[in-house]
Amino acid sequence: MEKKKIGVLTGGGDAPGLNAVIRAVVVKGEKLGYEIIGIKDGWRGLLNKNVEEISIDKVEDIHREGGTILGTSRTNPYKEEGGEQKAIENMNQLGLHALVAIGGDDTLGVANKLSKKGVKVVGVPKTIDNDLSATDICFGFDTAINRVSEAIDSLHTTAKSHHRVLVVEVMGRHAGWIALEGGIAGGAHVILIPEEPFNIDEVCKVINKRKENGKLYSIIAVAEGALPKGGDLPASCESKQAGKFFTQSEGTDSFGHVKLGGIAKALEKEIENRTGIETRSVILGHLQRGGSPSAFDRYFATRLGLKAIDMVKKEEFGKMAALRKGELVSVPLEEAVGEIRVVNNDLLEEAKVFFG
Ligand code: F6P
């Protein structure tokens, strides 16, 4: 009898642990009698029928590597003329029984829409930003906060030696999980996140207070999506503000998101002007999501991949594998997409005891 085929794709920004999910899907899938078809570069591969069969041999040890062996893209079938229809037709032409879509809000948003049109799809939550709803954590996040805390460790020694303020910009478009957890772990003296617009006077007050106490250096961790209260950073910054956000360049990605970046540079100038303390900025950027996954992410991503295959077997379609209160469960895709999970006020207030 011909084996049932399961397609697997990775979409959106890469995250450490993607290969661990793919490996688990292939190993368990093959052992349960499925054939696994890798779809290249996210939804783009489904639209172009760019696929290849993946066997257990091909995935040996890949869970230790960063990135994704399948490639990724931010292609959105719903932004292309006839994209939805093409995706559905290609699923049929490729003979795919089901699809495992590994991604964040955008990728799983597409999965959710396709599922409503009858596509048999299971989601796996991925994003270093850790802002997907319906799961307590996404793989990739643990590696990212480890990178951030290591970077802040290093910044401490140079900031202290030079008596400088160092502003470190981390990822986090709408949610400040990376800044909060990486910042606390690394010992940042102020943490600025998108959930609470900041007051530049307050930030400088903390820095000046530290100086009065003989601490001639400070580390400020800022999420790329953090915003000054009422847009109160003056024109001294070179970064362009598109709408509300600080952006690195004009234009948007294929999902229509502006390319964030520049808040740290703006703060660098402003803090130096206001406090008179030499200030430098560092943007960690893609260092946060490149490279080898942490042990936690390897194991967690592996379990999510195994769960995804269980869900295909049990025909739990239109759902996402998720971790809730320590248990791996399946939740409706609908709950996972649309609204992102942000840092609640209690957690931010709890962290503030370390500011200064
Ligand atoms: O995946 C989400 C994210 O990490 C955001 O925090 C960030 O704005 C974005 O990816 C940047 O990704 P890229 O440079 O690939 O567009």
Side-chain angles (χ1 to χ4, degrees):
M1 203 176 69
E2 212 181 301
K3 288 181 178 175
K4 280 186 177 168
K5 292 181 184 168
I6 302 175
V8 56
L9 64 80
T10 55
D14 68 334
L18 281 167
N19 284 329
V21 183
I22 297 167
R23 172 174 170 264
V25 163
V26 172
V27 172
K28 183 151 188 182
E30 207 175 298
K31 289 188 177 172
L32 288 183
Y34 295 104
E35 184 178 326
I36 308 298
I37 306 296
I39 298 169
K40 302 290 191 67
D41 301 332
W43 295 115
R44 190 197 295 154
L46 187 58
L47 296 178
N48 298 339
K49 287 198 273 184
N50 185 8
V51 300
E52 66 169 10
E53 192 189 331
I54 340 179
S55 61
I56 290 183
D57 258 6
K58 274 199 188 140
V59 295
E60 189 169 68
D61 290 340
I62 62 165
H63 62 298
R64 300 186 295 115
E65 288 161 26
T68 159
I69 60 161
L70 292 174
T72 187
S73 74
R74 294 194 193 269
T75 296
N76 180 354
Y78 287 89
K79 290 247 162 88
E80 305 205 1
E81 181 81 25
E84 176 186 78
Q85 204 44 41
K86 203 170 194 184
I88 296 170
E89 271 167 27
N90 288 351
M91 279 285 295
N92 293 331
Q93 283 176 20
L94 293 163
L96 297 180
H97 160 68
L99 185 64
V100 175
I102 312 167
D105 196 48
D106 293 332
T107 306
L108 298 183
V110 172
N112 186 37
K113 284 185 186 161
L114 287 174
S115 146
K116 290 190 174 137
K117 296 286 170 174
V119 175
K120 293 175 173 172
V121 58
V122 160
V124 176
K126 166 246 54 162
T127 164
I128 67 159
D129 290 359
N130 206 30
D131 60 0
L132 255 182
S133 293
T135 182
D136 294 344
I137 184 163
C138 297
F139 75 84
F141 174 65
D142 181 72
T143 308
I145 58 171
N146 276 294
R147 298 258 196 286
V148 169
S149 98
E150 276 163 25
I152 297 179
D153 282 350
S154 303
L155 295 176
H156 268 275
T157 61
T158 177
K160 207 169 184 174
S161 305
H162 287 265
H163 318 301
R164 282 174 174 160
V165 174
L166 266 160
V167 185
V168 52
E169 180 175 313
V170 301
M171 284 187 174
R173 184 169 279 272
H174 302 292
W177 296 107
I178 297 180
L180 178 77
E181 298 197 24
I184 290 291
H189 303 111
V190 177
I191 296 170
L192 307 174
I193 62 175
E195 289 83 344
E196 186 181 86
F198 64 86
N199 180 327
I200 186 69
D201 288 331
E202 296 297 326
V203 176
C204 292
K205 232 186 241 171
V206 172
I207 296 166
N208 284 329
K209 182 98 192 292
R210 280 179 54 77
K211 192 178 170 188
E212 279 162 34
N213 293 336
K215 292 163 185 162
L216 303 179
Y217 79 104
S218 295
I219 309 282
I220 317 296
V222 58
E224 61 184 354
L227 300 167
K229 238 179 216 162
D232 70 352
L233 281 184
S236 64
C237 54
E238 281 156 18
S239 315
K240 292 163 222 104
Q241 261 187 292
K244 290 161 35 167
F245 291 120
F246 281 82
T247 55
Q248 30 171 314
S249 60
E250 308 282 338
T252 56
D253 65 25
S254 329
F255 259 90
H257 305 303
V258 289
K259 295 175 189 158
L260 297 188
I263 182 76
K265 198 82 196 148
L267 282 171
E268 176 190 293
K269 287 199 174 171
E270 205 51 33
I271 290 171
E272 186 165 306
N273 286 346
R274 287 173 185 241
T275 64
I277 305 175
E278 198 179 16
T279 304
R280 294 280 197 275
S281 59
V282 178
I283 299 182
L284 294 188
H286 299 92
L287 287 172
Q288 293 161 90
R289 66 181 207 215
S292 185
S294 66
F296 176 89
D297 277 335
R298 292 179 198 193
Y299 182 61
F300 178 44
T302 297
R303 292 196 66 215
L304 287 171
L306 298 175
K307 176 76 182 171
I309 289 294
D310 282 343
M311 289 164 67
V312 170
K313 181 126 202 284
K314 290 186 192 150
E315 309 237 310
E316 292 189 62
F317 298 122
K319 294 197 167 187
M320 179 184 86
L323 189 78
R324 281 207 177 152
K325 298 193 172 113
E327 293 283 316
L328 269 193
V329 293
S330 58
V331 295
L333 273 170
E334 189 72 37
E335 272 181 37
V337 299
E339 211 170 299
I340 58 158
R341 200 175 64 90
V342 294
V343 174
N344 68 44
N345 199 43
D346 290 350
L347 275 179
L348 182 60
E349 288 307 314
E350 176 185 276
K352 281 184 182 167
V353 74
F354 297 106
F355 290 12

